[in-house]
Amino acid sequence: MKNQITKSILIGVLATIVSCTPDRADGDGNGLISTNSDASFTVTKTSENHYKLTSSNNNYIQSKWDIGIGTFSPGPNVYDIFLPDEGTYDIRHQIIGQGGIIGGTASQSIAVPVSDPKAGNLIQGGKFIDASDIAKWALTFPNPSSTALWAWGTGSATFTSSGWNRNVMYQAVEVVEGRKYQADAIVSSKSGVEDSWFEIYVGYTKPNANNDYTGDGNDTTWLRGINTWAGSGKNPFEKAKISVVGSKNANNPDGYFTATKTGTAYFAIRSGGNNMKDGITITSIEFRGTN
């Protein structure tokens, strides 16, 4: 009888050990992936500027995609994407297993030959890749101006400020009467900011040192914004769309600019604050027609 009890206990312990053994450990040998590491995918062009991304494997907990912006976001197994601008896009796919462990990453390039005639990006130099990109922008207070400073990096621009100083970076864009437009960009801040604003305006008035607004000339018409009084920007954020991490304008939550006449308008980033020690970094600025 004693031997039978001992055997039963031993079998139970072994079963527990087997059931707790990971299917496959991650690269450090410290976690369960429970997913095939194959993150490969196929690309099918469905129409001009439209593509279908299809994962070759669906044995994972979550799928994430980087559609050429440099950061991953959750997406479906079969992902229909729109690439409105001419250029080459590095598309990456990541599959995630248990515990948020990355099971595998795959990448492909898509070459888009022509920009979409309506939704193509109207912004020039929005990635700040080189001096020619930077030259596309103007400032209401040319640097250096007090403590409100735009600094140019390779692939981004960073705004810092203190003492309630401000500056506006802007450029002219051509719009069509009756058409709706939306703005967006990728923004980052290492430590977050305090008592600060970083807002996108579009309007027909050219910003200047005496009037740094555009639009209808007051601070209620911004399309996208990081604004600490509205609850955004206080905590660090990294490579996120301003439309996601920024505040929503209660008067215009979708961030539309509707052109009231055809001609030149001004796309402006109006920024300032009391404590922007590490500042806000921006890249991949967009301004696109939606209809």
Side-chain angles (χ1 to χ4, degrees):
M1 181 68 177
K2 182 178 179 181
N3 289 338
Q4 289 178 340
I5 293 173
T6 303
K7 288 179 181 178
S8 297
I9 293 173
L10 182 60
I11 291 170
V13 171
L14 288 172
T16 301
I17 292 172
V18 170
S19 65
C20 292
T21 301
D23 293 341
R24 182 166 61 84
D26 66 2
D28 298 322
N30 61 4
L32 179 66
I33 292 179
S34 275
T35 183
N36 188 315
S37 62
D38 179 17
S40 64
F41 59 96
T42 59
V43 178
T44 305
K45 184 176 181 178
T46 53
S47 63
E48 288 302 322
N49 302 92
H50 291 80
Y51 299 84
K52 184 186 294 292
L53 311 178
T54 305
S55 174
S56 303
N57 164 37
N58 59 9
N59 181 27
Y60 50 79
I61 292 175
Q62 188 181 44
S63 178
K64 289 187 174 182
W65 298 90
D66 170 11
I67 56 173
I69 64 174
T71 186
F72 286 95
S73 299
N77 187 51
V78 179
Y79 196 7
D80 291 305
I81 64 171
F82 176 45
L83 301 176
D85 299 324
E86 176 185 350
T88 300
Y89 295 79
D90 293 323
I91 309 297
R92 298 186 294 164
H93 180 224
Q94 227 173 46
I95 55 176
I96 311 298
Q98 291 182 11
I101 298 168
I102 299 171
T105 303
S107 63
Q108 287 194 57
S109 292
I110 298 177
V112 178
V114 180
S115 295
D116 182 87
K118 288 186 177 180
N121 191 7
L122 298 183
I123 296 299
Q124 299 182 52
K127 292 187 177 181
F128 305 98
I129 293 172
D130 53 28
S132 64
D133 275 0
I134 296 168
K136 301 293 195 302
W137 298 91
L139 300 174
T140 53
F141 296 99
N143 288 339
S145 170
S146 185
T147 59
L149 179 67
W150 277 101
W152 318 112
T154 302
S156 65
T158 300
F159 179 80
T160 56
S161 180
S162 63
W164 301 107
N165 285 291
R166 68 192 191 280
N167 211 332
V168 177
M169 181 174 70
Y170 67 94
Q171 69 173 251
V173 291
E174 297 301 314
V175 297
V176 177
E177 182 179 358
R179 184 168 292 173
K180 284 186 174 183
Y181 299 84
Q182 276 186 314
D184 218 330
I186 303 296
V187 291
S188 303
S189 181
K190 292 179 182 178
S191 59
V193 294
E194 297 177 19
D195 297 331
S196 301
W197 64 93
F198 186 92
E199 298 164 337
I200 295 174
Y201 289 78
V202 178
Y204 294 99
T205 302
K206 184 177 180 179
N208 58 66
N210 297 317
N211 177 19
D212 60 356
Y213 291 101
T214 186
D216 67 0
N218 65 63
D219 61 6
T220 66
T221 59
W222 49 271
L223 306 182
R224 305 291 189 194
I226 303 291
N227 186 303
T228 55
W229 295 276
S232 61
K234 296 179 181 180
N235 298 314
F237 48 93
E238 183 177 359
K239 290 185 177 180
K241 284 191 175 262
I242 193 171
S243 59
V244 175
V245 298
S247 302
K248 300 289 185 185
N249 186 332
N251 300 311
N252 186 6
D254 294 319
Y256 285 118
F257 169 77
T258 301
T260 57
K261 60 183 178 180
T262 297
T264 301
Y266 295 90
F267 180 101
I269 302 172
R270 182 178 183 269
S271 311
N274 189 41
N275 186 359
M276 299 183 77
K277 181 172 130 181
D278 294 320
I280 294 176
T281 297
I282 191 167
T283 189
S284 301
I285 303 172
E286 304 176 353
F287 185 58
R288 307 179 184 279
T290 63
N291 61 343

